[in-house]
Amino acid sequence: MEKIAASAAALLGKNEDVLKSGVLKSSGAVSVYADSIHKLGDAAVMMCRDDEKRFLLVVAKCAKCMPAGFEGDTVALSDGSVALCGALSAANAAALRQHFPWCAPQSLRNVRTTVGCGDRLGLATTGHILAAKKVQISPVLAQQSMRELTMTNRTFRGVVDDACFLVFAADYRDGYGADGDHLKTIKDIDTALAAGMPMITLDLSDVMNAAAGDWDAAKIDAAFVELPGDLQKLVIAEYADKDFVLGDDVAVKIDALTAKRCAVMYTSALDFAKEVHEHLKAARGEEFDLEISIDETSSPTLPSHHLFIVRELRRRSVEFSSLAPRFIGEFQKAIDYIGDLAEFDRQFKVHALIAKNYGNYKISVHSGSDKFAVYPTVGRETRHYLHLKTAGTSWLVAVTVIAKRDPQLYREMHQCALDNVKDMLKLYHITADFNKIPALDTLKDEELAALMDMPEARQLLHICYGPILTGNLRERFFKAMHKFEADYDAAIEAHFDKHLTLLGVPAKN
């Protein structure tokens, strides 16, 4: 490390290009992430790695020249300069954001195409950036739900910091987002905001009356008359027996019963969305992205309900960047779309037209990872004015890398998943028949990776990430991921290339 630091110290008087090209890139077990070399006044800041960890190296002409905020062990070099070796800590992430503002997440509300890159490990950002650089998107590199935080023992602050370090290492200056995903309470929203997350995905499932979707007319009428009188009059006047023309010979018809049903189902949820919007505006001014999520329900979002929701959000002056309906068919975790593709195409076109006609917000597709069959339709019908949300896909890429490079560790991870799957099925809805998965003792090491092409095995490992990442396999897993870092980066890049190609996202000029 000291040889690398000395080579940087000798170039502190030069410009950044000379510094980047001239710094010694490796010495012994230590190597430098070449794109991470940055000049900062009379100092240089870069990220390095050795056989065990990543760390920051800051080299300054003198102790007084050391940039503020960085923490770590300092060493005096022979020419009088000083080197600081710092862990990837919260303090050092904050220092990077202070000195290099492009390392901080930002609002992407005015970006046409955004992609949520769920990263349960804090390791996938490099691969995501490699894919994102090729096409006209902005990635949401830090994205986690409360459930994922609980299952991985992470925090929103740690999720943002992990992305920050790898953005710095990649010298990625095109802007990225951070999403507090599927949040349901002001308290959890405030935790995400305090961590610097500009995007909030508001999950309305707990405050909407989803059960009313199945009520008969008498029960709907009884509930409707309990709503405020002015609201009843407005709903009847604005929606009952109305046709809403969307163009392309498409219209949404809302009869009186549907209008009342929507009011009963969604009024409380829409009022809460207004409360959250005002809270976000007070906290961040215009620098926030609010996504409205109504996808966590058992029944698909009918176009008439989608239209009612967005019109009522607009009437309440709620500014939202994207909205996630519950689409027809099955969006189960880790596998491709299950359902009638022709019917999906027909209904999705209507959802996209609603978004186009009522504020041109982004349709958000919560894919559950790898819904490749519907991506061409999604890209075409939205004209790429969309937000695609992926979650566990980068985790499964990591599992595949382990299966290829450390078969024994994979076998133990697989067994851990089998031991815990009953508990995980209480949290995730999937219909896989795990009995179809061959017994591991019947498979050779070189056959293990192929399990990640099998829907049942993919879903098993997908939903059991928590026990693997928080149990006695955790340390070995992360050591292996550090060792196979280059393999993982390349695999993530290739996997996201597939997503973005099937969406038809235009290449960057």
Side-chain angles (χ1 to χ4, degrees), residues 177-191:
D179 178 11
D181 188 19
H182 277 93
L183 303 185
K184 300 180 179 182
T185 68
I186 297 287
K187 178 182 177 182
D188 288 342
I189 289 169
D190 281 342
T191 303

Side-chain angles (χ1 to χ4, degrees), residues 312-470:
E312 287 301 294
L313 286 170
R314 297 301 186 199
R315 188 173 68 81
R316 289 166 171 78
S317 299
V318 176
E319 302 166 36
F320 59 100
S321 302
S322 51
L323 183 140
R326 160 73 158 83
F327 299 111
I328 190 171
E330 291 272 0
F331 276 63
Q332 290 191 25
K333 303 298 184 183
I335 59 174
D336 213 330
Y337 177 76
I338 301 172
D340 183 336
L341 281 172
E343 183 61 20
F344 176 88
D345 290 358
R346 188 189 71 78
Q347 291 200 20
F348 189 87
K349 180 178 181 178
V350 180
H351 286 297
L353 284 171
I354 293 170
K356 181 181 178 181
N357 279 269
Y358 291 95
N360 211 30
Y361 52 91
K362 289 176 249 189
I363 288 286
S364 183
V365 179
H366 293 191
S367 69
S369 303
D370 303 346
K371 300 301 177 285
F372 298 119
V374 304
Y375 285 170
T377 295
V378 168
R380 180 183 67 251
E381 297 299 339
T382 61
R383 312 169 324 282
H384 304 113
Y385 200 74
L386 79 134
H387 180 67
L388 174 69
K389 184 168 293 192
T390 69
T393 190
S394 58
W395 156 247
L396 288 179
V397 172
V399 172
T400 306
V401 169
I402 295 296
K404 290 177 178 177
R405 299 303 303 272
D406 192 339
Q408 180 55 40
L409 176 56
Y410 173 81
R411 290 178 185 275
E412 294 177 49
M413 291 166 57
H414 190 109
Q415 187 58 52
C416 178
L418 290 173
D419 292 342
N420 289 277
V421 69
K422 287 185 178 180
D423 288 337
M424 295 303 102
L425 285 171
K426 298 173 185 176
L427 302 175
Y428 291 97
H429 167 66
I430 59 174
T431 57
D433 179 1
F434 298 128
N435 292 318
K436 292 182 179 180
I437 304 172
L440 289 188
D441 58 11
T442 68
L443 298 176
K444 299 176 182 178
D445 283 353
E446 58 269 25
E447 295 174 317
L448 295 176
L451 287 172
M452 289 300 98
D453 296 323
M454 181 181 188
E456 293 81 7
R458 285 181 66 79
Q459 292 198 302
L460 171 69
L461 271 296
H462 181 104
I463 67 172
C464 292
Y465 63 95
I468 294 170
L469 294 177
T470 58

Side-chain angles (χ1 to χ4, degrees), residues 112-174:
R112 185 178 188 86
T113 310
T114 51
V115 178
C117 306
D119 178 9
R120 293 169 177 169
L121 305 175
L123 303 174
T125 287
T126 302
H128 289 147
I129 288 173
L130 289 169
K133 281 183 174 180
K134 303 172 190 176
V135 294
Q136 296 177 31
I137 68 160
S138 288
V140 179
L141 296 172
Q143 170 197 292
Q144 295 282 271
S145 65
M146 293 302 297
R147 177 169 63 185
E148 287 171 316
L149 295 182
T150 300
M151 297 277 280
T152 57
N153 287 339
R154 299 176 78 196
T155 64
F156 282 135
R157 176 80 276 163
V159 170
V160 172
D161 289 350
D162 287 340
C164 168
F165 285 118
L166 293 179
V167 165
F168 174 77
D171 194 20
Y172 183 68
R173 306 191 187 199
D174 292 345

